[in-house]
Amino acid sequence: MSAGTETRALARVAQAQAASPQPGEGGSRRRRKTNAVTEPEGRRGKAGYGLVSPGLIYLLLFFILPVFTLLATSLYVKPPGADVGQFAPALEFGNYAVVLGGYWTELLRSFWFALLATVLCLVIGYPMAYLIAVRLRGHAFLQGLLLVLLIAPFFTSFVLRTQAWKQILADQGFVVQTLKTLNLMPDGASLTTTSVAVVAGLTYNFLPFMVLPIYANLQGLDSRLLEAGQDLYANGVTTFRTVTFPMSMPGVLAGTLLTFIPASGDFVNAAILGNNRNTTMIGQVIESKFMRVLDYPGAAALSFILMVAILILVTLYVRRFGTRDLV
């Protein structure tokens, strides 16, 4: 490598670093502004509490209280001789052992389907986000058009979009007929009411939740860093592995969380695209217990188990792959 090439690469990196705020620089500016303010500390504190109080009240009413209500309901018991759907307050922790022992298969299957859908969304969504944010940088019309096409399905119902996949994967549909023509599927095989259809529906419905955070992160990627990699004779794969992907990790982390969490508790895709034997997800069980069986303690216990399990998995994931921007 020539000295001139190395000098140009270092200069590009230095320019990129100079253009981005240095660690602590924003804090120093805020401290200087704070020191310049002469109003009393008490008044500033009251103003801050006033600004955050609506959000805190909203969280208290619509998140914290419902969680405690859910926990209390999960401990209810059915009195002897009570009608269907009638329960009394109690502290029956055995409800958790009963539902966990009866539905642990559906719980694990839900996490497995959500994991597969998340990986597929990342594999499909990252190139889409990279194309829109990096390759089409400077082409505002094409960027806007692709973003509109990406979010356009949100203008239709979630149920209708899932029902459309049932028609796409039908036995007489284009996908199945093409696979059978290529001898990739036996004549009597079907895609609907299978785990393949459920994972495909999850991937399609939650794909924008993966693409948009990655796009937002790549949009701020400094192109001079990519040029510096090229000046150092790095090929495209090396530049992507050492520069692009590490700098897009906050978007990848946010996208995987936004995809995995709702996919774990989803029941619409499994109810429409699957069957009630080997594709049942935990969301279907909870919905059935709440709406048809009227087993409120069992449904609440399953909901609380699902919430705690997701919280544990997300915490482990963030600690393992998290970045300083999110942890």
Side-chain angles (χ1 to χ4, degrees), residues 290-301:
F290 263 125
M291 306 302 297
R292 292 191 289 272
V293 182
L294 303 182
D295 181 11
Y296 302 130

Side-chain angles (χ1 to χ4, degrees), residues 77-98:
V77 295
K78 186 175 182 178
D83 294 334
V84 176
Q86 290 185 349
F87 299 91
L91 293 176
E92 184 54 62
F93 291 96
N95 292 339
Y96 285 87
V98 172

Side-chain angles (χ1 to χ4, degrees), residues 181-193:
T181 302
L182 298 175
N183 294 323
L184 297 177
M185 280 185 63
D187 290 336
S190 176
L191 283 181
T192 55
T193 68

Side-chain angles (χ1 to χ4, degrees), residues 203-324:
T203 302
Y204 167 74
N205 281 305
F206 294 108
L207 181 61
F209 294 97
M210 178 69 73
V211 177
L212 292 177
I214 298 177
Y215 160 77
N217 188 260
L218 290 175
Q219 186 72 8
L221 179 64
D222 197 330
S223 59
R224 288 173 294 186
L225 296 176
L226 304 180
E227 296 172 359
Q230 296 174 357
D231 290 341
L232 293 172
Y233 299 103
N235 55 31
V237 176
T238 302
T239 302
F240 175 81
R241 180 175 56 85
T242 59
V243 179
T244 306
F245 190 75
M247 297 192 69
S248 64
M249 275 304 296
V252 172
L253 180 62
T256 51
L257 293 180
L258 290 175
T259 304
F260 179 82
I261 293 175
S264 300
D266 180 79
F267 69 92
V268 174
N269 287 276
I272 295 178
L273 300 175
N275 55 63
N276 292 324
R277 298 182 303 276
N278 56 0
T279 63
T280 304
M281 298 178 65
I282 197 65
Q284 288 177 272
V285 178
I286 295 173
E287 187 269 342
S288 176
K289 283 184 171 293
F290 263 125
M291 306 302 297
R292 292 191 289 272
V293 182
L294 303 182
D295 181 11
Y296 302 130
L302 282 174
S303 301
F304 206 80
I305 290 173
L306 178 63
M307 181 178 63
V308 173
I310 290 177
L311 182 61
I312 293 174
L313 291 175
V314 168
T315 301
L316 295 176
Y317 173 72
V318 172
R319 286 184 175 274
R320 174 62 181 84
F321 299 102
T323 64
R324 293 182 179 180

